[in-house]
Amino acid sequence: VDMHDNDLKGSIPSEIGHLFNLTSFVVSFNEITGTFPTEIAMLSNLELLHLHDNRLQGFVPRLTLKGQTKSSFIADCGSPSDFDFPLDCPDCTMCCNSQQECDVTSATKRFGMWAAVLMGSVFGFLCLVVVASWLQKEGLYQCFSSKSDAYDAVGKDSVYCFFLSNSITAWVLAIVVLVAQVICFFQYIDGASLVFDSDKDWVYRYVCPRNSLDCRFTSDVGGFGWVFFAIFLVVHLLSDFVNGLKLIWNAPRYGLSWKTCQCLFGGLCLCSISALALYSSVVYNVAISRSNLELIFNTVILLFVNELDEKMHSCLETISPTWLEMTSDNIKTTFSNNSDSGEEIDGEEIKGAILEHRGRIVELEEGIEVYKVNVTTLEDELNTLKESIVLQREEYNKLFEIVQIIYQSSNTFTIHEGEEKTGQAKSFMKQRVGKEETNKNISDPARGINKEAETCTEKFNIHPPKRTKSKRSRNRRM
């Protein structure tokens, strides 16, 4: 019997239970009202039953269909409904709501319960980490520990570092942020649950059209979106989770003290919030993301909640920088690597450190000796250069004296005197230069003297006096 989309009204008669050979009964997309007759449970050969998009109320009796598929048994048992409560159909394979959206009943999820299981698993794992750290301080401890102190591990830009402080105000702020994040994540987890008799955020993934007896899957989320989803989660959450593990693993270094409790609590908070953010991001995107764009968009929003601790730290840095700096300095002083760790220091480690420092000292001494030799060599070269400069200066002074003598007597000397002065200049130039080319430069008395004088004048910036006309030259002209 197929009477779907025929604008039928009224109720389903109870006599339908006498149709023992009935295999399909399709009355979807009509205006049928009332309750569903219990006699339908007598139809043992029924294979297809579509009751959705009507105005039926109450309870649908339990019924197992032959050759059952996801589109075999459909009723208006989803939310939101046109009535206060949707149709109760425990054996339906698919439930539809008043917006003609449907989903399979096998996808029913109560993620809140699984969130509690997850947090218990994380707590148990961290307990094992603590036990392993206590039992293997000297072995595996060195493999996992880092050189950074507890303050670096918990995060300098997060209010969770306040768990390492002794300030009550700092602890209150950190706990407030922690509780706020937990509430937000559980709100997302609870909204992602698929409960057909309750109105949640879950977006139904199927549509059952009027022109077909099979329902169509409408989600367009593909591998591309899930790859970016995984990248975002790893980038934002992995560092926090690993830092929390480091904080817990290094907690035994402080022995049985309040510092150990602070490290354990801070590490537990970091790991738990990171795991909760991961779980809520996965389940909420499974619940409401029906495209790659929605998947990425919802992931960014959820990760913003995870960064609430860092945003609060930024606000405190703006509002009360003095208090924040004082609190941070207190944590640094308390949990620095140089502070008392409560561990016994191995003598072999001390000997190794001493030998290492001695080797560095020997290397420094050898380097100093090399520098000393280089400095001595430079000093010797500098002294040699100074002596050379002094000798050059003496030679130029002698030459300058000769040039002055030549200029003073240049107006009155005779040819014989000029030759005599030229000989003196020639002998001096031979001594200074030691080459035969000097004879060529001063072979001509007047030209050689003038050339040498010009050279000295340019070198020492000496300007000779202006020449005056002699009486003999004036008499000749007259």
Side-chain angles (χ1 to χ4, degrees), residues 42-87:
M42 301 171 59
L43 303 177
S44 59
N45 294 321
L46 199 60
E47 297 179 359
L48 186 65
L49 181 59
H50 285 186
L51 306 173
H52 57 287
D53 282 284
N54 285 288
R55 300 183 63 81
L56 294 170
Q57 302 182 58
F59 175 78
V60 179
R62 302 189 69 89
L63 182 64
T64 302
L65 305 183
K66 291 183 177 180
Q68 184 169 287
T69 63
K70 65 177 180 294
S71 300
S72 297
F73 193 178
I74 308 175
D76 295 327
C77 49
S79 295
S81 175
D82 292 332
F83 305 98
D84 293 337
F85 299 99
L87 193 66

Side-chain angles (χ1 to χ4, degrees), residues 411 467-478:
N411 293 325
R467 297 179 61 182
T468 57
K469 295 181 180 181
S470 61
K471 294 181 179 180
R472 182 178 300 177
S473 60
R474 287 197 300 267
N475 294 330
R476 287 181 181 176
R477 289 181 180 179
M478 292 177 63

Side-chain angles (χ1 to χ4, degrees), residues 183-449:
I183 292 175
C184 288
F185 285 133
F186 270 101
Q187 288 293 322
Y188 280 108
I189 293 171
D190 182 66
S193 299
L194 175 57
V195 183
F196 289 106
D197 58 355
S198 179
D199 191 9
K200 299 291 184 179
D201 294 337
W202 183 285
V203 177
Y204 290 2
R205 299 169 295 174
Y206 291 85
V207 172
C208 299
R210 294 174 181 268
N211 59 352
S212 175
L213 296 179
D214 293 325
C215 298
R216 185 178 70 253
F217 188 73
T218 59
S219 178
D220 295 329
V221 179
F224 175 81
W226 287 112
V227 167
F228 275 90
F229 169 78
I231 293 174
F232 288 156
L233 290 184
V234 169
V235 170
H236 284 83
L237 301 179
L238 183 61
S239 60
D240 290 341
F241 190 82
V242 172
N243 286 335
L245 286 179
K246 288 181 179 180
L247 200 60
I248 293 175
W249 187 265
N250 291 329
R253 65 186 291 187
Y254 301 105
L256 297 175
S257 63
W258 172 242
K259 292 182 181 180
T260 302
C261 297
Q262 289 177 293
C263 290
L264 290 176
F265 188 76
L268 177 64
C269 291
L270 272 179
C271 292
S272 300
I273 288 296
S274 299
L276 195 60
L278 173 64
Y279 180 73
S280 61
S281 299
V282 172
V283 299
Y284 196 74
N285 278 291
V286 169
I288 72 169
S289 296
R290 297 297 174 256
S291 66
N292 291 331
L293 183 60
E294 290 181 355
L295 179 64
I296 297 174
F297 179 76
N298 295 329
T299 303
V300 172
I301 294 176
L302 286 164
L303 292 178
F304 179 79
V305 177
N306 186 65
E307 295 179 355
L308 184 61
D309 55 321
E310 298 176 1
K311 298 300 181 182
M312 176 61 75
H313 190 276
S314 300
C315 291
L316 292 174
E317 191 174 4
T318 303
I319 297 172
S320 182
T322 304
W323 178 85
L324 183 61
E325 183 179 1
M326 181 179 63
T327 305
S328 301
D329 292 340
N330 183 21
I331 297 173
K332 291 178 184 179
T333 304
T334 306
F335 286 91
S336 63
N337 286 327
N338 296 326
S339 61
D340 185 15
S341 62
E343 294 183 354
E344 294 182 359
I345 301 176
D346 191 2
E348 295 296 330
E349 295 180 359
I350 297 177
K351 291 181 181 179
I354 293 174
L355 292 176
E356 183 180 357
H357 287 295
R358 286 181 179 177
R360 292 179 180 176
I361 292 173
V362 171
E363 292 179 358
L364 291 175
E365 290 179 349
E366 292 177 353
I368 291 173
E369 293 297 330
V370 172
Y371 284 129
K372 287 182 178 180
V373 172
N374 292 336
V375 170
T376 303
T377 303
L378 291 175
E379 289 179 350
D380 294 339
E381 293 178 356
L382 181 60
N383 293 330
T384 303
L385 183 60
K386 288 180 179 180
E387 293 176 358
S388 176
I389 291 173
V390 171
L391 293 176
Q392 292 290 334
R393 185 176 295 174
E394 291 178 355
E395 292 180 359
Y396 281 118
N397 289 336
K398 290 180 181 180
L399 182 61
F400 179 70
E401 292 176 357
I402 293 174
V403 170
Q404 280 185 330
I405 294 172
I406 293 173
Y407 271 109
Q408 290 175 359
S409 58
S410 60
N411 293 325
T412 56
F413 66 46
T414 61
I415 295 175
H416 177 74
E417 290 174 347
E419 291 178 353
E420 183 178 354
K421 297 296 182 181
T422 301
Q424 292 179 0
K426 183 177 180 180
S427 62
F428 176 75
M429 292 298 296
K430 284 183 179 181
Q431 293 177 0
R432 178 176 175 272
V433 180
K435 293 182 180 181
E436 294 295 330
E437 286 77 1
T438 308
N439 294 327
K440 297 179 181 180
N441 293 333
I442 57 175
S443 59
D444 187 356
R447 184 173 56 188
I449 292 171

